[in-house]
Structures are given as structure tokens and as C-alpha cells.
Amino acid sequence: MLIEPSSHKEAVKVYKALGEPSRLSIINLLCQHKELSCTEIEQRLDFKGSTLSHHLKQLLDCGLLDLSRKEGTYHFYEVNKDMLKRYVALTVE
């Protein structure tokens, strides 16, 4: 069995999130860094604030991202490597 029936809803959320090119770009970028702030992600991927916020929420909701810390008004995000490894066949360092 590929995915346990109890995890079907989780799998659908993860694959739906990864199926959107902008969210996949965010994951790819964050896999290359320990963590990045919203501002750093915006600048590197040329996203607008509200668009990035929407994509980050989707990635947080499905468990692919974690809010690693807050520093003043800055939020820093990192990839949840365990979750990503569960659904994507690649090496995450």
C-alpha cells in the first residue's frame, strides 16, 4: 500500500500544495537554506506580500513548513524535512 488510508487527507493536502508551481518554488528555495524570512523569500522569488502570505499559509497548513522563529515583525520559515521526506522521494539535507 502506497499511503495508509488514515493519511489520505494529509497526502491530498501535501500533493495539492506541491502541485502549485509557486509553492514548489518556495519549498525548493527553503531546502537550500536553513531558514528564511518572508522578506527574503519575497525578494528571491519576486512575490508580492499577500501572494506569499497565501502560499505560506497553505504550506504551513499541510505541514510542509514550520515557523522556526519570530524576530520583531519578521517571521522565519523552514521546511519540515520529515513531512517532505514522507511524501517526496528525494534527499533533504
Side-chain angles (χ1 to χ4, degrees):
M1 180 174 289
L2 177 64
I3 299 171
E4 294 293 321
S6 61
S7 299
H8 284 174
K9 287 183 181 182
E10 179 181 270
V12 168
K13 285 179 80 172
V14 167
Y15 291 129
K16 183 177 178 182
L18 291 174
E20 209 296 324
S22 296
R23 290 192 281 269
L24 188 56
S25 294
I26 293 167
I27 292 293
N28 282 331
L29 177 64
L30 284 168
C31 281
Q32 298 170 29
H33 302 275
K34 180 178 173 15
E35 66 177 15
L36 290 173
S37 70
C38 290
T39 303
E40 292 169 317
I41 298 168
E42 282 178 8
Q43 292 170 347
R44 292 171 191 233
L45 296 178
D46 197 31
F47 285 136
K48 301 286 186 228
S50 60
T51 300
L52 179 60
S53 179
H54 168 75
H55 291 310
L56 291 174
K57 182 180 181 335
Q58 296 296 314
L59 292 167
L60 285 165
D61 286 348
C62 73
L64 287 171
L65 285 189
D66 290 324
L67 178 62
S68 61
R69 65 188 170 100
K70 293 181 182 180
E71 191 174 296
T73 60
Y74 293 95
H75 293 82
F76 291 82
Y77 296 91
E78 64 186 356
V79 172
N80 179 335
K81 293 176 183 172
D82 293 333
M83 180 65 90
L84 188 60
K85 286 178 185 177
R86 187 178 312 158
Y87 291 104
V88 179
L90 52 84
T91 303
V92 180
E93 296 179 19

